[in-house]
């Protein structure tokens, strides 16, 4: 699995973009996206799904010095879990 996640501070909270791409001979069975311990999305995918993309606007909170963690979890067609973590601290 290949994971791509980006974040940008929004007027209120953060804008987060997540993409998961299955590797060769893989497909995505399910995806879960968590921000600071809260689930933003949890989805079972159609059989044979090769990619997942989702944008989240104005999610969570944001203030100078606040730490954040996004965890993206994907399960492949064999039930094997894969994950990626992105962490950052808000600036002004």
């Amino acid at each position: 699995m290949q994971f791509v996640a980006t974040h940008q501070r929004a007027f209120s909270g953060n804008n987060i973009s997540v993409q998961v791409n299955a590797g060769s001979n893989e497909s995505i069975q399910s995806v879960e996206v968590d921000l600071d311990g809260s689930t933003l999305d949890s989805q079972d995918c159609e059989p044979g799904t090769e990619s997942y993309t989702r944008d989240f606007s104005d999610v969570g909170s944001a203030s100078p010095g606040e730490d954040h963690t996004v965890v993206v979890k994907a399960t492949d067609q064999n039930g094997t879990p894969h994950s990626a973590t992105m962490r950052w601290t808000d600036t002004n």
Side-chain angles (χ1 to χ4, degrees):
M1 295 284 174
Q2 179 183 22
F3 297 85
V4 177
T6 61
H7 68 88
Q8 182 177 10
R9 182 128 174 226
F11 182 74
S12 171
N14 292 280
N15 294 332
I16 297 170
S17 180
V18 173
Q19 183 174 2
V20 180
N21 294 308
S24 61
N25 300 319
E26 283 185 319
S27 63
I28 303 169
Q29 181 179 356
S30 64
V31 176
E32 182 176 309
V33 180
D34 297 329
L35 170 63
D36 298 334
S38 295
T39 301
L40 297 178
D41 190 24
S42 182
Q43 174 168 261
D44 291 329
C45 300
E46 293 294 319
T49 296
E50 295 179 359
S51 68
Y52 164 94
T53 303
R54 178 87 191 262
D55 295 323
F56 304 94
S57 299
D58 298 322
V59 293
S61 59
S63 62
E66 187 172 350
D67 295 324
H68 300 284
T69 303
V70 169
V71 179
V72 182
K73 304 171 197 170
T75 304
D76 68 21
Q77 75 279 5
N78 298 318
T80 304
H82 304 264
S83 66
T85 302
M86 177 177 60
R87 296 174 192 233
W88 73 95
T89 301
D90 289 334
T91 56
N92 42 343

